[in-house]
Amino acid sequence: MPRGLRNNNPLNIRRSKSKWLGEVDSLNGKRDTAFCQFSSLTYGYRACAKLLQTYQIKYKLYVLDKIIGRWAPPKENNTRAYADRVAKQMTKELGEPISVASLLDICKDKATLRALIVSMHLVECGQLPTAHEREAINQALTML
């Protein structure tokens, strides 16, 4: 099982000083010192969604290559390959603007946000989300 799924953190959000809703110090008696661990997949996906929305609201990142460039920086990843795979899965162009949040309506386009999370899950976990994982994504999006 991929590390992200073991941690209920399928998009592999790194630990920071800030705590996410549903984040736990350890899971099943094991602590991952690098990546967040969540009490459930739903909380892991919710944190991903909130972070992706922050990229648009705070950092004004509206195109896939910029979003992925921040999520998976070149010093740690093959950012171009990551972005290419997400774009292909979403049937979007790298420079094509997408909307996952706006200041007036934080949940403006849940379908696009869902597609982005599913596509990033494919890259991070090596497979598309299962039916159980898709249900957790849907639950997470209702929590925004």
mmCIF file of all heavy atoms in Angstrom, residues 10 40 76 87 97 99:
data_model
loop_
_atom_site.group_PDB
_atom_site.id
_atom_site.type_symbol
_atom_site.label_atom_id
_atom_site.label_comp_id
_atom_site.label_asym_id
_atom_site.label_seq_id
_atom_site.Cartn_x
_atom_site.Cartn_y
_atom_site.Cartn_z
ATOM 1 N N PRO A 10 -3.440 10.791 0.996
ATOM 2 C CA PRO A 10 -3.144 10.283 -0.341
ATOM 3 C C PRO A 10 -2.379 11.234 -1.258
ATOM 4 O O PRO A 10 -1.746 10.780 -2.205
ATOM 5 C CB PRO A 10 -4.513 9.943 -0.920
ATOM 6 C CG PRO A 10 -5.499 10.602 -0.037
ATOM 7 C CD PRO A 10 -4.864 10.846 1.280
ATOM 8 N N SER A 40 -8.654 9.722 9.119
ATOM 9 C CA SER A 40 -9.401 9.045 8.054
ATOM 10 C C SER A 40 -8.998 9.628 6.702
ATOM 11 O O SER A 40 -8.453 10.730 6.623
ATOM 12 C CB SER A 40 -10.908 9.218 8.253
ATOM 13 O OG SER A 40 -11.292 10.551 7.959
ATOM 14 N N GLU A 76 12.297 18.166 -5.409
ATOM 15 C CA GLU A 76 11.862 16.895 -4.830
ATOM 16 C C GLU A 76 11.243 15.944 -5.846
ATOM 17 O O GLU A 76 11.093 14.761 -5.565
ATOM 18 C CB GLU A 76 10.810 17.149 -3.740
ATOM 19 C CG GLU A 76 11.278 17.998 -2.600
ATOM 20 C CD GLU A 76 10.134 18.348 -1.648
ATOM 21 O OE1 GLU A 76 9.040 17.774 -1.773
ATOM 22 O OE2 GLU A 76 10.348 19.206 -0.782
ATOM 23 N N ALA A 87 -2.470 16.756 -16.216
ATOM 24 C CA ALA A 87 -3.157 17.409 -17.333
ATOM 25 C C ALA A 87 -3.801 16.373 -18.257
ATOM 26 O O ALA A 87 -4.958 16.537 -18.675
ATOM 27 C CB ALA A 87 -2.174 18.283 -18.107
ATOM 28 N N PRO A 97 -6.230 27.691 -17.687
ATOM 29 C CA PRO A 97 -6.710 28.069 -16.353
ATOM 30 C C PRO A 97 -7.794 27.116 -15.860
ATOM 31 O O PRO A 97 -8.626 26.647 -16.639
ATOM 32 C CB PRO A 97 -7.295 29.461 -16.558
ATOM 33 C CG PRO A 97 -6.767 29.934 -17.856
ATOM 34 C CD PRO A 97 -6.499 28.713 -18.684
ATOM 35 N N SER A 99 -10.442 26.510 -12.226
ATOM 36 C CA SER A 99 -10.947 27.180 -11.035
ATOM 37 C C SER A 99 -11.379 26.139 -10.018
ATOM 38 O O SER A 99 -12.229 25.303 -10.304
ATOM 39 C CB SER A 99 -12.133 28.079 -11.391
ATOM 40 O OG SER A 99 -12.651 28.662 -10.215
#
